[in-house]
């Protein structure tokens, strides 16, 4: 069965960087069997109804400003896979999750920056999926769980976001790690490895520095979505964790 993954996408410039985290992403395709398709939830595509990408091919969305000129020349011309989009919509319907298809939207940087690092040739079909911050955490998990069967069809499920993502607290000159960010991630690691769903669903009340780490939930949600698709075996493995700008978490979780 194909594992599911959570990737932090960091700042858009991550696609140009060379560090331990990008090295992991660049080696991903050598360590993982090639999937038949990729299903990706991006923190940067928010909808109040679950939306399933169904474009025949994806444009590249530059949903950021003030970064290197090179980023605005990059493209990720992945193909869509209409049958898979419809299959996903059917799975959602089976689980009582309303959804709609979107035949026009391209890939935002939460999607293409990660994909360009792990599969730079854009030779694997992609189905992009939205997130909805207005659902509770148990509902997020159930959305991921609804797609678990896709893993048996060699489909790679990815959640792209960030566990500590507070742009107002970034220190662009810092080379250290803020203690509050590490404290939150340490708590999160212990609960993920124990698959402690009650604690995770109530992380805002239970985790140290949750408000600082997750001021808004859209970047955290993809973690629960990816985790939900691993509900059958419930094995969580931290593959990498580092930080940029004092507290921007770069982490990769594998869910078997």
């Amino acid at each position: 069965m194909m594992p599911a993954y959570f990737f932090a996408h960091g700042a858009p410039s991550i696609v140009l960087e060379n560090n331990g985290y990008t090295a992991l992403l660049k080696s991903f395709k050598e360590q993982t069997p090639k999937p038949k398709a990729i299903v990706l939830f991006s923190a940067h595509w928010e909808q109040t109804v679950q939306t399933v990408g169904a474009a025949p091919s994806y444009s590249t969305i530059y949903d950021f400003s003030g970064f290197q000129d090179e980023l605005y020349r990059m493209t990720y011309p992945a193909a869509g896979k209409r049958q898979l989009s419809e299959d996903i919509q059917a799975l959602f319907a089976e689980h009582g999750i309303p959804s709609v298809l979107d035949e026009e939207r391209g890939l935002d940087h939460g999607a293409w920056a990660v994909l360009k690092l792990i599969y730079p040739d854009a030779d694997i079909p992609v189905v992009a999926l939205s997130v909805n911050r207005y659902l509770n955490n148990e509902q997020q998990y159930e959305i991921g769980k609804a797609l678990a069967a896709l893993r048996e069809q060699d489909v790679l499920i990815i959640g792209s976001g960030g566990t500590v993502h507070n742009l107002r607290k970034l220190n662009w000159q810092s080379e250290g790690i803020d203690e509050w960010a590490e404290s939150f991630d340490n708590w999160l690691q212990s609960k993920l490895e124990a698959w402690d769903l009650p604690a995770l669903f109530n992380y805002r009340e239970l985790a140290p520095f949750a408000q600082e780490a997750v001021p808004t939930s859209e970047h955290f949600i993809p973690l629960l979505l990816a985790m939900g698709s691993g509900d059958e075996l419930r094995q969580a493995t931290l593959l990498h964790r580092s930080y940029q700008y004092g507290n921007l978490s770069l982490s990769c979780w594998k869910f078997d």
Side-chain angles (χ1 to χ4, degrees), residues 54-112:
S57 61
Y58 288 97
S59 60
T60 304
I61 302 174
Y62 306 101
D63 52 335
F64 49 83
S65 61
F67 287 89
Q68 300 95 319
D69 290 344
E70 185 177 351
L71 287 176
Y72 302 92
R73 296 191 294 270
M74 287 186 172
T75 61
Y76 195 81
K81 193 169 186 177
R82 178 72 186 217
Q83 184 59 59
L84 179 57
S85 299
E86 294 176 355
D87 290 346
I88 288 170
Q89 196 172 31
L91 286 171
F92 283 147
E94 288 176 17
H95 290 80
I97 301 166
S99 66
V100 296
L101 298 179
D102 185 315
E103 300 177 341
E104 298 182 357
R105 192 179 191 276
L107 298 176
D108 57 65
H109 83 269
W112 68 259

Side-chain angles (χ1 to χ4, degrees), residues 66 85 87 97 124 147 169 202:
S85 299
D87 290 346
I97 301 166
I124 302 172
L147 301 184
K169 287 189 172 291
N202 292 282

Side-chain angles (χ1 to χ4, degrees), residues 104-169:
E104 298 182 357
R105 192 179 191 276
L107 298 176
D108 57 65
H109 83 269
W112 68 259
V114 167
L115 293 176
K116 198 165 184 69
L117 286 166
I118 62 176
Y119 293 112
D121 296 330
D123 57 348
I124 302 172
V126 174
V127 174
L129 295 174
S130 67
V131 302
N132 180 1
R133 72 169 77 183
Y134 300 105
L135 301 178
N136 64 41
N137 292 325
E138 186 171 3
Q139 289 172 311
Q140 310 290 1
Y141 185 90
E142 290 298 320
I143 288 171
K145 188 176 176 180
L147 301 184
L150 297 177
R151 296 174 51 204
E152 298 177 3
Q153 303 170 29
D154 295 328
V155 173
L156 174 62
I157 298 175
I158 294 174
S160 173
T163 57
V164 180
H165 188 276
N166 189 334
L167 300 184
R168 293 187 176 184
K169 287 189 172 291

Side-chain angles (χ1 to χ4, degrees), residues 3 11 37 42 45-47 78 102 109 127 148 151 163-164 186 229 256:
S42 172
W45 187 12
E46 291 192 67
Q47 297 288 308
D102 185 315
H109 83 269
V127 174
R151 296 174 51 204
T163 57
V164 180
N186 285 339
S229 70
D256 289 305

Side-chain angles (χ1 to χ4, degrees), residues 5 7 10 13 16 23 25 27 41-42 73 75 95 105 130 162-163 183 187 197 203 214-215 219 245 256:
Y5 292 85
F7 293 112
S13 54
L16 300 175
L25 298 184
S27 67
F41 292 93
S42 172
R73 296 191 294 270
T75 61
H95 290 80
R105 192 179 191 276
S130 67
T163 57
S183 179
W187 181 92
L197 295 181
Y203 75 90
V214 190
H219 276 76
Y245 317 123
D256 289 305

